[in-house]
Amino acid sequence: MPYEDPHAAPRAEALTRHDKARPALTDRILRAGLAAVAGLLTLTVFASWTPASASPAHASAGSSVTPSGRPYLPEPTGPHPVGTTSMRLEDTSRPDPWVPAARSRELMVSLWYPAKSRIGRRAPYMTPRESELILKGKGVTGVPPDVLSRTRTHAFSGAGPAGRRHTLPLVVLSPGFTDPRSSLTALAEELASRGYVVAGVDHTYETFATTFPGGRLTTCAACELEGVDDFGAKAVRNRAADVSFVIDQLTGPHSRWTGASLIDASRIAMAGTSLGGASAAETMLKDSRVRAGINMDGLMFAPIPASGVARPFLFLGQPLHSPGGEDATWDRDWAHLTGWKRWLVVAGAVHPSFSDYDLLAQQIGVDLGSRLPGSRSVDITRRYVRAFLDLHLRGRPQPLLDRPSARYPEVEFCTPETKTCT
């Protein structure tokens, strides 16, 4: 059933055909491989999100829930308190790509930033209704529907931003297809505690749940379009436009965020998971303000052209993304990354390991197949992303990116020319 007026009274827009079609869709994916939206859904709707008792190994690694049954994110490691706020942005220059009735593109954006103090309440991870729709969309049963909304975070809502004018680098985070911006909170809090401004973007109608001011809630209209030709490339182009618009709104002369003057507009990077990561290179091609990019486990739906990307780029993924592996798109595009580059794979990781969901799934007793216990997936993602950003936005040498580390033996450096990782 087509979507109606997206600006109507508050309501939850139904996940209609997507829910009904999942078994058949899964079969088709297995037969056809990674392609179009089928590939996106394979990588983001976790067929293995099956409730299971935490194994002794998980429990001993500290991944079980707290005594109150409340999931939690690891504390950020930087010296700064972290503040956060959210804002609605509207791009009136273009229609929504997924809902023709919407004549403008609406986005919800969360900002994390170094704060003046830890005064105030901790920010909620998401709403109970968002938790319910996300778990339903991923096929998770047997856990409380609001369990993700209980996740303990470390940023303080509305805390005053700290810093000197035009000194803080900006990092834009783009989540996986169907995932909300909150799925990258652990990474965002870490970067903010280290002096970055971080903007997490909800790509409207590509998520299982996005809540706007006033309570209006949108869901995944794009999930109903799996038959559209070149869906993945369209989604990547749309995300590049979303990110450029967000940068405009944060660095332009009329920004509505009180801390906008702290941003150094000459030091901007983008990182993302899955489709968000795949969109980083496209964004860099379209927007020269983005100086560096990170693709975390994303299939490259839009090939990098022969003219290439000459700015720094990092591939960081699970073993499926090893050179010569199941996903050939990284091999295809590697030669077209002509600046500083690295290709890293993490042994034991699965697709959700580069977001909060590997850790949170373990905490609520859901088995994703990860062999990274406890908060290890968060630790690895935070450390390597931060090293990349510190090197390319702050000019600080990072030996961690030069060779394998005894501290992180799971992280292997890949040499595509020989199809090896060590």
Side-chain angles (χ1 to χ4, degrees):
M1 181 175 66
Y3 278 61
E4 299 176 355
D5 179 10
H7 304 298
R11 67 191 189 277
E13 295 168 347
L15 295 170
T16 53
R17 186 160 63 93
H18 178 61
D19 286 328
K20 298 174 183 177
R22 185 174 293 110
L25 182 60
T26 300
D27 291 342
R28 188 164 70 253
I29 292 166
L30 293 174
R31 291 194 305 269
L34 301 173
V37 75
L40 289 167
L41 290 171
T42 283
L43 294 175
T44 55
V45 180
F46 314 135
S48 59
W49 271 64
T50 306
S53 299
S55 69
H58 287 169
S60 65
S63 62
S64 57
V65 288
T66 58
S68 64
R70 184 178 186 182
Y72 60 92
L73 300 178
E75 291 189 14
T77 65
H80 302 289
V82 178
T84 188
T85 189
S86 293
M87 61 177 64
R88 171 189 171 274
L89 301 176
E90 183 176 8
D91 185 355
T92 59
S93 70
R94 59 189 175 113
D96 192 279
W98 311 118
V99 178
R103 298 180 180 179
S104 62
R105 178 66 169 163
E106 278 187 296
L107 299 170
M108 286 300 299
V109 176
S110 286
L111 299 174
W112 292 267
Y113 49 86
K116 294 178 179 178
S117 70
R118 292 179 170 85
I119 296 175
R121 67 181 183 88
R122 291 178 187 256
Y125 188 67
M126 63 177 64
T127 70
R129 181 60 173 151
E130 287 170 337
S131 174
E132 178 183 356
L133 289 174
I134 289 166
L135 292 173
K136 178 183 177 183
K138 295 183 183 299
V140 181
T141 59
V143 298
D146 67 343
V147 66
L148 294 179
S149 70
R150 304 178 198 168
T151 301
R152 180 179 175 83
T153 68
H154 302 280
F156 294 89
S157 292
R164 292 180 291 110
R165 288 175 58 85
H166 307 308
T167 61
L168 303 185
L170 171 65
V171 181
V172 183
L173 297 182
S174 180
F177 185 61
T178 75
D179 288 344
R181 63 195 189 276
S182 60
S183 64
L184 295 170
T185 298
L187 175 59
E189 290 183 340
E190 171 70 10
L191 295 177
S193 80
R194 297 282 178 167
Y196 289 88
V197 174
V198 182
V201 184
D202 260 8
H203 300 278
T204 312
Y205 300 113
E206 297 177 30
T207 68
F208 285 135
T210 296
T211 303
F212 285 87
R216 181 169 59 87
L217 191 149
T218 61
T219 58
C220 193
C223 291
E224 300 188 4
L225 303 174
E226 71 259 22
V228 173
D229 290 340
D230 207 20
F231 178 94
K234 176 181 178 180
V236 163
R237 290 192 297 269
N238 175 61
R239 290 198 172 204
D242 285 350
V243 170
S244 288
F245 175 69
V246 169
I247 293 172
D248 290 342
Q249 296 301 299
L250 291 176
T251 62
H254 305 296
S255 177
R256 292 190 291 110
W257 181 46
T258 57
S261 64
L262 304 178
I263 295 173
D264 180 352
S266 70
R267 294 189 290 165
I268 299 174
M270 178 182 172
T273 56
S274 194
L275 180 60
S279 303
E282 181 73 11
T283 304
M284 293 171 71
L285 286 165
K286 299 295 177 58
D287 194 329
S288 62
R289 295 173 297 180
V290 182
R291 286 179 48 180
I294 304 174
N295 177 356
M296 295 184 285
D297 216 54
L299 186 82
M300 296 288 284
F301 285 96
I304 297 174
S307 55
V309 172
R311 281 159 280 162
F313 203 86
L314 173 65
F315 281 140
L316 178 65
Q318 61 176 309
L320 175 149
H321 286 290
S322 298
E326 190 171 343
D327 172 21
T329 63
W330 288 17
D331 296 86
R332 179 198 65 202
D333 288 342
W334 179 252
H336 296 159
L337 295 170
T338 59
W340 185 102
K341 59 185 176 181
R342 292 290 185 274
W343 183 331
L344 309 179
V345 299
V346 182
V350 290
H351 195 58
S353 296
F354 305 94
S355 70
D356 299 342
Y357 288 158
D358 188 352
L359 171 65
L360 295 181
Q362 292 184 39
Q363 291 181 355
I364 65 175
V366 171
D367 182 15
L368 301 182
S370 171
R371 293 189 287 111
L372 299 174
S375 62
R376 189 64 172 169
S377 60
V378 171
D379 294 341
I380 290 170
T381 301
R382 282 176 164 180
R383 188 63 190 91
Y384 280 85
V385 169
R386 179 162 59 86
F388 175 86
L389 297 172
D390 282 351
L391 175 62
H392 296 295
L393 296 188
R394 288 176 162 157
R396 299 175 181 172
Q398 299 294 319
L400 184 69
L401 297 175
D402 293 334
R403 64 189 68 86
S405 166
R407 186 175 178 183
Y408 300 100
E410 304 95 332
V411 180
E412 300 178 347
F413 283 59
C414 297
T415 306
E417 293 76 12
T418 60
K419 292 184 167 51
T420 58
C421 299
T422 57

